[in-house]
Amino acid sequence: MNKKHIPSVSTLILFSCCLILNSCKNEVKEPVEKEVEKTVYASDVIPFFDDWKLILGDGSNAGIANNFENKDFFYTVNEGNSDWVVFKTPNGGDTHGTSNNTRTELAQTKKWYPKTANDELTATLKVMNVSATGDASVAASHSVVVGQIHSADAFENEPLKIFYKKFPGHTKGSVFWHYEINTAGDDNSKRWDYSSAVWGNDFSVVGDSVNTYPEEPKDGIALGEAFSYEVKVKNGIMTLNFSSEGHETKTFTKNLIESEYTTTEAIPEQTQKLFVPIGQDGVERKSAYAGEGCFFKLGAYNQTNGKSPEVNRNWCSGAETHNGDIQKQYADGNYAEVWFKKGSISISEDAVSNEGYFTKND
């Protein structure tokens, strides 16, 4: 009886061990669920994208950019507890419309008329990079436009461009804004800009030669240093407010429907030195931008390009473009990059569709 009983016990023990081992194996094989990382889109950070179309640094129109990203030009980054929207664009590549310069920039889908306007744009941003190369004696070199008012009609001139500019080797750069005249007559090649300094220098402060730089501005803004602007147009008057921690808040006003530049005698000294010598010596129509539909822009409009300074001593930088190879430009600093943290837009009831501008320029 003992001999028959012992194998039965052994079999039972082996069977129990197998059950335990199989149970352990099953526990190990159970899949561990991985947490899927959620993409943070620009429209999650600044929820106002219904009011814009996005132009990318390859010249394409991405349309309404809700839940959209493009890792070359437009995406988000997290820094500490803050998300930022990145606008990035190279020195050289395909451009939008007739511009010489690339941009990754929002363009408002509606246009409004300065005389009846009650429209506003605000933004908080920091510039992270401007072109590493460019002729320092060319005023546009090493700069980027971070906000605009653009005309959608006639010559499509720009009553406002907000610039950031920093020379290589400097810690601090300059913030300034431009008013471009709405040229009288049919020859828009005579148009010119007038530049006003906010912090640091204005557009006219340039180097003595290709690689010789002016003195660094004492009250300038560094790369990575945040600042804010507010642009409001009401009843023909543009009001600009600029603020940044540790800097004096600055306010400017400009009449957009009645020109102060209707005669050659009224051309400012700055313009006489900068634009008149290259044949840009026009005068402005008396009503300035009255009667033209205008719209806001926001982003990174790179002002440094690869065109020869012989073409235009103010706007053609002769910078490195690697024949339009974007990744090579990004690798050696030949691009503009701007991060936005906040933004808002207020549009008057008189605003109308701006689709005609995109039809012309896409």
Side-chain angles (χ1 to χ4, degrees):
M1 289 181 65
N2 287 342
K3 287 181 181 179
K4 291 181 182 179
H5 181 67
I6 290 169
S8 298
V9 172
S10 299
T11 301
L12 183 61
I13 292 169
L14 284 171
F15 180 71
S16 299
C17 288
C18 288
L19 285 175
I20 292 168
L21 286 172
N22 283 334
S23 176
C24 290
K25 285 179 183 178
N26 288 339
E27 286 179 14
V28 172
K29 285 182 179 180
E30 285 182 8
V32 178
E33 289 187 12
K34 288 185 178 180
E35 188 176 341
V36 178
E37 189 174 337
K38 180 181 179 292
T39 300
V40 177
Y41 293 108
S43 50
D44 297 323
V45 179
I46 308 176
F48 68 167
F49 282 80
D50 288 341
D51 297 310
W52 310 89
K53 289 190 177 183
L54 174 66
I55 308 303
L56 297 175
D58 60 3
S60 64
N61 184 343
I64 307 295
N66 287 313
N67 300 327
F68 174 84
E69 69 172 11
N70 180 302
K71 288 299 186 182
D72 283 334
F73 307 116
F74 180 77
Y75 51 94
T76 65
V77 295
N78 180 269
E79 186 180 66
N81 295 321
S82 298
D83 289 317
W84 297 77
V85 180
V86 178
F87 294 76
K88 189 174 182 180
T89 190
N91 288 354
D94 291 333
T95 63
H96 188 249
T98 60
S99 177
N100 290 321
N101 298 2
T102 71
R103 71 185 81 209
T104 297
E105 189 179 42
L106 298 171
Q108 194 181 354
T109 57
K110 289 190 174 182
K111 62 182 181 179
W112 36 265
Y113 295 85
K115 191 171 184 176
T116 58
N118 187 11
D119 296 75
E120 186 173 8
L121 172 67
T122 74
T124 298
L125 67 135
K126 55 186 179 181
V127 178
M128 304 303 289
N129 197 78
V130 290
S131 176
T133 63
D135 188 326
S137 66
V138 172
S141 292
H142 313 297
S143 72
V144 59
V145 168
V146 299
Q148 295 187 64
I149 295 175
H150 205 291
S151 172
D153 302 323
F155 293 136
E156 296 185 1
N157 288 335
E158 298 152 326
L160 174 67
K161 294 189 289 283
I162 299 170
F163 282 76
Y164 176 87
K165 176 179 177 179
K166 189 190 79 67
F167 288 98
H170 287 186
T171 300
K172 295 180 179 179
S174 298
V175 175
F176 48 87
W177 66 276
H178 279 204
Y179 176 79
E180 180 179 57
I181 65 165
N182 204 13
T183 323
D186 297 324
D187 186 3
N188 197 41
S189 67
K190 300 285 187 179
R191 73 189 185 279
W192 44 265
D193 288 25
Y194 181 74
S195 180
S196 299
V198 180
W199 302 295
N201 301 317
D202 62 38
F203 186 69
S204 67
V205 177
V206 297
D208 293 330
S209 64
V210 175
N211 295 309
T212 305
Y213 309 121
E215 185 179 346
E216 183 173 333
K218 293 181 174 60
D219 62 339
I221 299 283
L223 288 175
E225 184 176 2
F227 65 95
S228 299
Y229 62 73
E230 298 175 354
V231 181
K232 185 163 188 176
V233 181
K234 186 174 183 179
N235 300 331
I237 304 300
M238 176 176 69
T239 303
L240 308 174
N241 287 296
F242 296 90
S243 60
S244 178
E245 186 176 350
H247 298 271
E248 182 183 353
T249 297
K250 301 287 184 73
T251 301
F252 304 85
T253 59
K254 180 75 180 74
N255 193 321
L256 299 185
I257 60 175
E258 187 175 334
S259 176
E260 59 189 296
Y261 304 125
T262 58
T263 65
T264 54
E265 291 75 22
I267 296 176
E269 182 181 356
Q270 180 194 106
T271 302
Q272 296 280 0
K273 292 179 178 178
L274 201 62
F275 287 93
V276 171
I278 60 173
Q280 293 181 250
D281 57 357
V283 295
E284 188 170 32
R285 60 190 67 189
K286 185 177 180 180
S287 59
Y289 285 88
E292 292 191 16
C294 293
F295 62 100
F296 293 123
K297 287 188 165 187
L298 174 151
Y301 182 20
N302 194 351
Q303 297 299 291
T304 307
N305 59 45
K307 288 202 168 186
S308 170
E310 293 180 5
V311 177
N312 187 301
R313 289 297 312 173
N314 291 323
W315 298 110
C316 296
S317 302
E320 179 61 72
T321 65
H322 294 295
N323 295 315
D325 187 313
I326 291 173
Q327 298 309 321
K328 285 185 178 179
Q329 292 177 77
Y330 287 175
D332 60 9
N334 286 293
Y335 63 94
E337 182 174 336
V338 186
W339 294 10
F340 283 81
K341 184 179 182 179
K342 295 179 182 177
S344 69
I345 187 171
S346 176
I347 306 166
S348 59
E349 292 181 359
D350 291 336
V352 298
S353 173
N354 195 28
E355 194 57 39
Y357 170 79
F358 298 105
T359 301
K360 268 193 295 185
N361 290 283
D362 285 351

